[in-house]
């Protein structure tokens, strides 16, 4: 364990990491987000939960549950509303990054039960597009 710890310490030092650099980075991020409460993760997770609820209800043909899950999506989110036409008109690398992220989160294509599931998918992609626009996604090949 001691050898592993020393090798990790040397590796961390070789890339220039220090507690001070982490503090400076978190201060920088904090200054960017001052006065904002973006709730990006909470909104994304809430919409993903409603997508799962919608899909489950659709599997059981529970129309009331489907309607409830569809209504609970964050349709009033102004950032996603603004990003939707941009996402739909995007092409190339921007759209590919968003689609890649979406497919990692939702690996199953929409079912043919009705068109609302595809609408939810498009809304989630627009949400991810708005996130990618603000903070570009960086994917590793691992």
């Amino acid at each position: 364990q001691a050898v592993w710890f020393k090798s990790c310490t040397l590796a961390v030092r070789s890339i220039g990491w220090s507690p001070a650099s982490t503090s400076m980075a978190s201060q920088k991020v904090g200054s960017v987000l001052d006065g904002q409460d973006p709730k990006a993760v909470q909104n994304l997770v809430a919409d993903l939960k409603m997508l799962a609820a919608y899909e489950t209800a659709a599997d059981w043909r529970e129309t009331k549950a489907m309607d409830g899950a569809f209504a609970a999506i964050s349709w009033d989110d102004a950032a996603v509303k603004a990003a939707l036409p941009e996402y739909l008109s995007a092409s190339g690398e921007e759209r590919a990054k968003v689609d890649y992220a979406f497919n990692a989160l939702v690996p199953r294509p929409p079912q043919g039960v009705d068109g609302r599931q595809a609408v939810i998918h498009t809304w989630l992609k627009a949400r991810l597009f708005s996130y990618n626009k603000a903070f570009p996604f960086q994917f590793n090949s691992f």
Side-chain angles (χ1 to χ4, degrees), residues 41-65:
V41 173
Q42 290 125 334
N43 292 340
L44 176 62
V45 170
D47 282 352
L48 288 170
K49 284 180 181 180
M50 289 303 104
L51 174 61
Y54 185 88
E55 289 175 346
T56 302
D59 288 344
W60 289 92
R61 305 292 191 258
E62 293 287 339
T63 55
K64 287 184 181 181

Side-chain angles (χ1 to χ4, degrees), residues 10-132:
L10 290 173
V12 166
R13 286 184 183 155
S14 70
I15 61 170
W17 180 88
S18 70
S21 67
T22 302
S23 176
M24 289 178 358
S26 63
Q27 287 173 354
K28 186 175 180 181
V29 169
S31 68
V32 169
L33 297 176
D34 272 346
Q36 298 180 19
D37 188 13
K39 297 185 181 177
V41 173
Q42 290 125 334
N43 292 340
L44 176 62
V45 170
D47 282 352
L48 288 170
K49 284 180 181 180
M50 289 303 104
L51 174 61
Y54 185 88
E55 289 175 346
T56 302
D59 288 344
W60 289 92
R61 305 292 191 258
E62 293 287 339
T63 55
K64 287 184 181 181
M66 289 169 62
D67 293 342
F70 187 80
I73 297 289
S74 64
W75 302 118
D76 59 344
D77 190 323
V80 182
K81 281 182 186 178
L84 184 60
E86 293 177 35
Y87 167 73
L88 293 173
S89 65
S91 61
E93 186 179 345
E94 284 183 325
R95 189 161 182 152
K97 286 168 78 173
V98 169
D99 290 343
Y100 181 83
F102 178 81
N103 290 332
L105 294 169
V106 183
R108 202 166 84 170
Q111 304 298 311
V113 175
D114 66 11
R116 294 190 299 174
Q117 188 178 9
V119 171
I120 297 170
H121 281 210
T122 304
W123 183 259
L124 285 167
K125 289 177 182 180
R127 176 175 294 289
L128 292 171
F129 186 85
S130 72
Y131 296 167
N132 183 52

Side-chain angles (χ1 to χ4, degrees), residues 1-18:
Q1 282 184 338
V3 172
W4 177 81
F5 180 76
K6 286 180 183 178
S7 65
C8 288
T9 304
L10 290 173
V12 166
R13 286 184 183 155
S14 70
I15 61 170
W17 180 88
S18 70

